[in-house]
Amino acid sequence: MGLTRRSGGSRAMQEGFLKRQYSGADYVVALAGNPNTGKSTVFNALTGLNQHTGNWPGKTVLRAEGRYIHRGMIFKLVDLPGTYSLMANSPEEQVARDYLCFGKPDATVVVADATCLERNLNLVLQVLEITTRVVVCVNLVDEARRKKIKIDFQLLAAELGVPVVPAAARHRHGLDKLVEVVSEMAAGRITTRPVAIRYGEEIEESVRKLEPKIKKLVGEEFNSRWLALRLLDKDRAVLAALENWLAGRNSLAAGMEGVILG
Amino acid sequence: MNRGSAFTGLNEILQEAERLNPAGSLKLSDSIVSAIYGRAERIAQKAVSQEARPAVDWDKRLDDILTSKLFGFPSMFLLLAALFWVTVSGANYPSEVLAAVLFRGQEKLAELLAWLRVPAFVSSFLADGVYRCLAWVVSVMLPPMAIFFPCFALLEDLGYLPRVAFNLDSLFKKAGAHGKQSLTMSMGLGCNAAGVISCRIIESPRERLIAVLTNNFVPCNGRFPTLIALAGLLATGAGASAGAALIVSGMVLSGIAVTLAVSWILSKTLLKGIPSSFTLELPPYRRPQLGRVIARSVFDRILFVLRRAACVAAPAGAVIWLAANVQAGGASIMAHFAGWLDPFGRLLGMDGHIMAAFLLGLPANEIVLPVLIMSYTAAGSMLELDSFEALRQLFMAEHGWTWLTAVCMMLFSLLHYPCGTTLWTIYKETNSFKWAILSALIPLLVACLVCFAAARAARLLGWA
């Protein structure tokens, strides 16, 4: 709702006027999560007043970006819309999903609610299908403690194959650690080992046939397994994004040729 | 490499995909969903353990009361009334102090201009026109805003607002609208333009349009203080604050009733269809972050009001001063205008000056009351308007207001067209002049009908 901040306050009317403000960031970090997990609290705590809002291109979905500096490096934090899944059932889910694949953030933080971790893990696993450079921030651990919920974070990290940072963002607990892990992840100093989910032999067989062709087309740019699954499902949105990207690359390539020939 | 070959590659892949998964025979989504959910469940079972459930689940206990069929609505009304009571009784004092300070500023400004030997006409224009309108907007608007919104933000931070949506959901469903409309409605309490933008959370275009078209029936930032000031005129004596709070709560409830009624009519006529269903999660109650929420929303409000005052009220003050002071044929332009509107105003239980103020208030509802005061005072004696008493004196004694005038003006303010910014936002959101114009005409029609009916009924019954 956010009546407290952007939506009802003095900035309400600036919406749509500001597009991406900073291009000079060293790393781009996406922030995903279910609604009501304290995602905005994390976003606000990290970026402070360095925030800008606008719309996602072509969609009436609010896009918030912010920036923070850690060890001399500028991190741009992109707040994805809060969603329960990435099945692209709504504009929000589609925006979040397309950004994770085609926006190619250097790291992605998935904020999860410690008090109902199972439901939140669905989103984490779906994000892991698209990108492996993920840090899971298990937020609201103070509330979970109050409800006598115990979480084995080491086991969780081992199961997911990516770093897990417990946090209570409202009290700024765990955020220093989060920033630290994110910067390691963005710089590529952390190896992740997520276990890909297998879907029945028939589907896997089809993916095996399709994946090499996709690799040939897009190279190592995107997650070819995920693209294979999406194209197998004839996902129009992904197809459009892919076409768009191909067109962009081609025009770039054409431009380069011109330079070389000239 | 050219454009063609890349797309050929993509086309080949698509053909292959069609061959591998003809007409979706692999049931991809189903198996992905079940695989992911199964995996999430297994991981959660391993990594999460729940020690003995807490003895009392306070969230559930609280929800049993606040969202129950029996107590849901009464508790909502009580909270609303309490919120207004805090606002009304809390705003009085700072409002008077601000007014006293700002109007002393007007004297000083006039003195300064006199010392600078500025011609009387220009001096009056600046001090009585521009400055006075600005001072009015700030002193009337700021205190209620700076009290109401932090309190409202606290309720939001506490996790209460989704419960409001939950309570109201069935009503909106019955009206053929979307349950989330109650959320866009509460956003409209802050600012109708923001409320209109927030209608994006409603996926179905039909229901989103209903929400957009009816958003202005909840009083926004700019109309709240007008309602509060007018309620203050009506409620006198010992329980004045409580009485005013009840009147304002009643007004907001009527606004919600009209929202539902108009939504129902729209969903039966212009925007036919069945409401779509949605899942609404009730988040746990959380202890609000008192300091931060209050500081943040007070700050936001002050900036908002000051910015509006500077951008809209000051220029409006200039225009209105000119209208009230430029003479044509023995009377001011304003007086001509008000006189022309007077029969219509009387029909609706008000007078021509009030109608003129509403018309001139189109850019921003904040200035309706200042315009009215200026239009009244320019015609007659000038007086210091630094208290409710002075306002009562001006309206009731000098311009023949009755309780009916105040009620009709409140109703009209509650129901009439949204401000210019909101209309522009509606145009941008719907990308259609038709809906933007309708979103002004429908409320105007409703406002006229309701005020006419109220005035007629009261006069027929001999109450006024």
Side-chain angles (χ1 to χ4, degrees):
Chain A
M1 290 276 308
L3 193 75
T4 36
R5 296 190 178 85
R6 289 188 298 278
S7 46
S10 58
R11 295 190 189 180
M13 294 318 303
Q14 289 176 17
E15 208 254 358
F17 290 58
L18 295 158
K19 295 295 171 201
R20 61 176 47 214
Q21 191 87 357
Y22 322 112
S23 43
D26 294 300
Y27 295 113
V28 179
V29 179
L31 191 62
N34 287 13
N36 294 316
T37 51
K39 192 164 70 74
S40 313
T41 317
V42 173
F43 183 74
N44 288 328
L46 289 184
T47 59
L49 292 174
N50 277 315
Q51 295 181 5
H52 291 277
T53 55
N55 267 353
W56 289 92
K59 297 262 173 5
T60 50
V61 176
L62 191 73
R63 171 189 180 124
E65 288 180 11
R67 160 173 90 149
Y68 67 90
I69 296 175
H70 179 68
R71 296 189 187 217
M73 294 291 201
I74 301 173
F75 288 80
K76 184 170 88 172
L77 199 57
V78 179
D79 193 15
L80 301 178
T83 55
Y84 292 104
S85 87
L86 294 178
M87 298 299 180
N89 295 323
S90 67
E92 283 81 11
E93 293 185 6
Q94 200 188 320
V95 158
R97 190 190 74 173
D98 290 357
Y99 187 78
L100 287 176
C101 181
F102 298 101
K104 302 220 318 159
D106 297 295
T108 299
V109 177
V110 186
V111 183
D113 181 348
T115 61
C116 45
L117 199 58
E118 185 183 323
R119 191 180 56 194
N120 283 252
L121 282 178
N122 290 324
L123 182 71
V124 174
L125 292 172
Q126 288 178 47
V127 172
L128 281 174
E129 291 241 281
I130 304 176
T131 164
T132 58
R133 306 178 84 169
V134 171
V135 179
V136 176
C137 169
V138 178
N139 193 22
L140 304 169
V141 286
D142 47 340
E143 220 164 281
R145 204 174 303 132
R146 220 186 60 213
K147 291 192 171 174
K148 307 238 160 92
I149 295 170
K150 264 194 140 171
I151 298 170
D152 185 339
F153 293 105
Q154 251 157 6
L155 187 71
L156 187 62
E159 285 285 329
L160 292 171
V162 294
V164 172
V165 181
R170 282 153 64 94
H171 309 290
R172 293 199 66 95
H173 293 165
L175 291 181
D176 292 342
K177 171 93 171 138
L178 180 67
V179 165
E180 196 62 49
V181 176
V182 165
S183 95
E184 294 290 301
M185 178 68 72
R189 285 193 289 269
I190 296 180
T191 347
T192 55
R193 286 174 270 81
V195 187
I197 298 175
R198 300 277 143 202
Y199 308 109
E201 197 37 49
E202 219 179 340
I203 295 177
E204 292 299 332
E205 178 67 33
S206 309
V207 169
R208 266 198 295 281
K209 280 184 188 151
L210 212 53
E211 208 180 327
K213 296 204 167 83
I214 291 170
K215 269 217 170 89
K216 207 175 125 215
L217 187 67
V218 301
E220 296 293 326
E221 281 291 320
F222 308 116
N223 181 338
S224 51
R225 177 182 161 81
W226 184 75
L227 280 182
L229 280 167
R230 289 331 312 145
L231 290 181
L232 206 53
D233 206 13
K234 279 156 269 177
D235 190 312
R236 282 172 181 284
V238 165
L239 194 61
L242 203 54
E243 269 174 1
N244 203 3
W245 180 80
L246 283 170
R249 185 185 65 176
N250 290 342
S251 64
L252 194 69
M256 300 265 269
E257 261 166 45
V259 172
I260 296 163
L261 289 175
Chain B
M1 179 105 168
N2 58 42
R3 199 183 156 85
S5 71
F7 286 101
T8 326
L10 195 56
N11 279 337
E12 273 171 25
I13 292 174
L14 278 179
Q15 278 159 15
E16 172 96 26
E18 177 58 42
R19 203 163 53 243
L20 290 167
N21 182 16
S25 65
L26 286 178
K27 301 237 182 324
L28 214 53
S29 310
D30 292 356
S31 56
I32 289 179
V33 167
S34 67
I36 283 179
Y37 279 52
R39 179 78 167 270
E41 195 183 339
R42 277 196 301 283
I43 296 179
Q45 269 168 5
K46 275 196 217 169
V48 183
S49 56
Q50 170 106 43
E51 283 175 18
R53 290 209 152 266
V56 187
D57 189 345
W58 286 108
D59 276 15
K60 199 173 166 308
R61 287 255 173 123
L62 213 51
D63 271 344
D64 283 346
I65 300 170
L66 291 179
T67 61
S68 71
K69 284 216 169 78
L70 194 58
F71 297 110
F73 282 101
S75 61
M76 229 159 60
F77 180 74
L78 280 180
L79 264 174
L80 193 70
L83 208 57
F84 290 135
W85 179 73
V86 170
T87 308
V88 172
S89 58
N92 265 336
Y93 180 70
S95 211
E96 280 176 25
V97 170
L98 260 180
V101 169
L102 287 172
F103 287 117
R104 198 162 317 134
Q106 187 186 341
E107 282 166 31
K108 293 275 174 254
L109 182 67
E111 278 169 30
L112 178 75
L113 290 170
W115 183 75
L116 287 171
R117 294 178 194 286
V118 174
F121 183 76
V122 177
S123 157
S124 174
F125 172 75
L126 289 175
D128 300 338
V130 177
Y131 182 87
R132 176 169 276 241
C133 193
L134 211 142
W136 251 103
V137 167
V138 172
S139 63
V140 175
M141 296 291 145
L142 198 49
M145 292 300 98
I147 296 171
F148 179 80
F149 284 97
C151 293
F152 197 72
L154 281 181
L155 275 187
E156 184 198 354
D157 215 37
L158 189 73
Y160 182 67
L161 286 197
R163 271 88 189 170
V164 171
F166 182 86
N167 284 338
L168 292 175
D169 179 47
S170 62
L171 287 181
F172 278 101
K173 277 274 157 59
K174 274 181 201 142
H178 198 286
K180 280 190 198 163
Q181 196 175 329
S182 50
L183 293 177
T184 65
M185 206 173 68
S186 26
M187 195 72 91
L189 278 175
C191 166
N192 288 136
V196 166
I197 288 175
S198 76
C199 291
R200 293 170 174 188
I201 63 171
I202 300 172
E203 284 92 12
S204 134
R206 181 188 79 89
E207 289 143 37
R208 191 186 310 150
L209 259 179
I210 294 183
V212 166
L213 291 177
T214 56
N215 192 272
N216 80 303
F217 292 130
V218 284
C220 64
N221 241 331
R223 292 178 284 160
F224 242 118
T226 309
L227 293 183
I228 289 174
L230 292 174
L233 286 183
L234 287 177
T236 45
S241 305
L246 276 180
I247 293 172
V248 176
S249 319
M251 279 294 155
V252 173
L253 283 194
S254 337
I256 296 174
V258 172
T259 303
L260 287 167
V262 174
S263 298
W264 184 79
I265 293 169
L266 280 174
S267 78
K268 290 277 173 276
T269 55
L270 275 180
L271 296 161
K272 272 192 196 125
I274 355 161
S276 54
S277 58
F278 72 110
T279 43
L280 178 76
E281 189 188 17
L282 294 185
Y285 291 98
R286 286 177 186 147
R287 192 149 47 92
Q289 296 164 292
L290 267 175
R292 191 179 308 170
V293 169
I294 290 180
R296 181 79 208 205
S297 63
V298 168
F299 185 66
D300 262 0
R301 284 304 125 186
I302 290 174
L303 280 186
F304 187 86
V305 172
L306 290 183
R307 222 171 51 140
R308 292 274 283 197
C311 295
V312 188
V319 172
I320 293 147
W321 185 89
L322 286 176
N325 284 275
V326 174
Q327 303 278 322
S332 69
I333 297 173
M334 190 78 179
H336 280 300
F337 191 42
W340 180 66
L341 286 169
D342 203 56
F344 183 62
R346 299 273 166 211
L347 210 59
L348 303 183
M350 291 170 277
D351 64 25
H353 288 277
I354 304 177
M355 298 318 295
F358 274 121
L359 276 177
L360 290 170
L362 179 67
N365 288 305
E366 284 92 330
I367 61 169
V368 169
L369 212 50
V371 169
L372 181 60
I373 290 160
M374 209 174 288
S375 141
Y376 276 159
T377 50
S381 60
M382 289 296 262
L383 48 97
E384 285 293 315
L385 282 168
D386 50 6
S387 68
F388 263 132
E389 267 325 300
L391 199 61
R392 204 193 310 274
Q393 176 71 21
L394 176 70
F395 285 172
M396 301 281 191
E398 289 181 32
H399 287 89
W401 277 38
T402 62
W403 65 269
L404 183 66
T405 325
V407 167
C408 283
M409 183 167 171
M410 283 169 91
L411 283 172
F412 199 82
S413 166
L414 177 74
L415 303 173
H416 80 308
Y417 44 78
C419 71
T421 319
T422 307
L423 289 173
W424 178 245
T425 310
I426 292 174
Y427 167 66
K428 298 263 278 194
E429 288 291 302
T430 57
N431 211 2
S432 126
F433 273 121
K434 181 184 123 190
W435 291 117
I437 290 168
L438 273 179
S439 69
L441 289 183
I442 294 172
L444 183 62
L445 185 72
V446 172
C448 289
L449 285 177
V450 169
C451 287
F452 176 74
R456 255 300 137 94
R459 279 171 194 153
L460 277 178
L461 290 169
W463 288 350

